[in-house]
């Protein structure tokens, strides 16, 4: 589990940035693909609120609902902002033992 959390903490900011760029570029295919990848990573951690936000963005990309993508990205970043400190705290506590 330690390795999974570490990998997620390294990879998540990269994925979020890729999604941000896809939203700014109004690139539905990239929104779908990048959100799908982040959804899978968050799923390994059972981070339902991140999974749900990423899944919503994935559907927006799939269905070409670009007008909704900025709000979907805001939801995703809020979910990630909640998860990251929790994971770091858990990781620090486990490493301290």
């Amino acid at each position: 589990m330690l390795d999974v959390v570490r990998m997620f903490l390294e990879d998540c900011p990269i994925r979020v940035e890729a999604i941000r760029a896809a939203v700014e570029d109004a690139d539905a295919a990239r929104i779908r693909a990048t959100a799908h990848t982040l959804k899978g990573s968050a799923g390994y951690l059972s981070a339902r609120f991140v999974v749900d936000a990423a899944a919503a963005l994935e559907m927006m990309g799939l269905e070409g609902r670009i007008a909704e993508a900025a709000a979907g990205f805001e939801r995703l970043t809020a979910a990630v902002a909640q998860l990251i400190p929790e994971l770091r705290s858990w990781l620090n506590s486990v490493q301290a033992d």
Side-chain angles (χ1 to χ4, degrees), residues 27-85:
D27 186 331
R30 273 190 14 228
I31 292 168
R32 186 207 57 76
T34 54
H36 177 79
T37 301
L38 182 59
K39 180 183 77 172
S41 297
Y44 286 117
L45 300 171
S46 298
R48 178 60 36 201
F49 47 101
V50 175
V51 170
D52 290 347
L57 264 171
E58 180 183 15
M59 287 306 297
M60 289 173 202
L62 181 67
E63 296 171 355
R65 294 183 285 135
I66 298 300
E68 299 172 40
F73 181 70
E74 290 292 324
R75 178 180 169 208
L76 177 67
T77 56
V80 167
Q82 180 182 348
L83 177 62
I84 295 297

